Amino acid sequence: YTLRDSKASSTAKVILEKIIPKDFVDEKIATLGYAAIIWDTGNFKWHFNDDTLEIANFLLSKGVDVPFIINKIFCSYPKLHLEMLYLAIKNIEYYDQIKTIFLCLPYQKLQQEKIDENKFNELKEAFCDEIAGKISEYDRGILIYEKKPGYIGISARGNNLYNKINMPKMLSELSSQGGGHFNA
């Protein structure tokens, strides 16, 4: 089966509406569903509507463990995450004319900083989720990296409110690989 709802705020919303019967939802399922909705909507900052809030309300009525979710999603970063966030921040380049920040990591820099696959994944997540598109007056952030000599990767995130550039379309001119939504 294929379920699609291009207007849904999250995958969890679709699953909870179309697959999981309401009488099957217990405290654990409610907590997981609510966590997924919180994550996909950026804690109700984007891509949500009255249907999303109705489902959230239903899940809350089933006993969502809100403190657990808030702690896990927003208040407990591993040390490595903060180290990679620091590395990203200190290497950002600001381009005022195009309202864009860049984090350029050539192969030599990754080697010099001893960035293995695990550290790189944490670095990419820190940049994309916490920096790109979140700096006032800079509508987007672009990470350009070279994990192997001669192989360039790009990941981009835009601010949901101010970015007017379709990121996947822009990057598709460079490669047929990749994808995402307007801001990623």
Side-chain angles (χ1 to χ4, degrees):
Y1 295 98
T2 301
L3 296 173
R4 292 189 185 171
D5 183 348
S6 61
K7 295 179 182 170
S9 61
S10 66
T11 303
K13 180 182 179 291
V14 174
I15 292 170
L16 289 163
E17 284 182 338
K18 308 285 186 194
I19 298 174
I20 299 174
K22 286 193 180 222
D23 60 349
F24 189 75
V25 176
D26 61 10
E27 183 180 317
K28 288 182 181 180
I29 292 172
T31 298
L32 292 171
Y34 193 80
I37 290 171
I38 288 282
W39 185 259
D40 283 351
T41 64
N43 199 14
F44 301 105
K45 287 187 279 191
W46 55 75
H47 307 301
F48 74 95
N49 55 35
D50 56 342
D51 289 344
T52 310
L53 296 175
E54 285 177 24
I55 289 176
N57 185 52
F58 167 73
L59 295 172
L60 287 167
S61 76
K62 291 295 188 171
V64 172
D65 188 349
V66 175
F68 173 78
I69 292 171
I70 299 301
N71 185 56
K72 281 294 187 187
I73 294 177
F74 301 111
C75 301
S76 60
Y77 294 111
K79 179 182 170 190
L80 177 61
H81 183 81
L82 296 176
E83 290 170 352
M84 294 301 101
L85 182 60
Y86 171 74
L87 181 70
I89 289 170
K90 76 178 189 176
N91 286 285
I92 290 173
E93 297 176 38
Y94 297 85
Y95 288 82
D96 299 342
Q97 289 180 319
I98 58 173
K99 296 182 170 188
T100 304
I101 61 167
F102 287 88
L103 176 58
C104 299
L105 299 170
Y107 180 77
Q108 185 177 3
K109 176 75 172 171
L110 292 173
Q111 295 301 303
Q112 176 187 0
E113 296 286 344
K114 297 182 172 107
I115 305 295
D116 61 17
E117 189 71 24
N118 185 44
K119 287 181 178 180
F120 177 79
N121 290 336
E122 201 68 43
L123 174 65
K124 184 177 177 182
E125 182 179 320
F127 178 79
C128 291
D129 291 348
E130 297 183 55
I131 301 172
K134 297 213 170 108
I135 299 174
S136 179
E137 299 181 33
Y138 295 88
D139 299 344
R140 68 204 61 81
I142 299 175
L143 168 63
I144 302 172
Y145 56 92
E146 183 183 26
K147 287 169 70 175
K148 292 191 283 188
Y151 291 90
I152 305 299
I154 301 173
S155 189
R157 295 291 185 277
N159 178 291
N160 286 322
L161 189 57
Y162 299 110
N163 175 50
K164 304 296 182 217
I165 297 172
N166 183 327
M167 304 305 256
K169 184 177 180 193
M170 175 187 72
L171 295 175
S172 71
E173 295 177 17
L174 301 174
S175 171
S176 62
Q177 297 177 355
H181 53 80
F182 190 89
N183 282 299

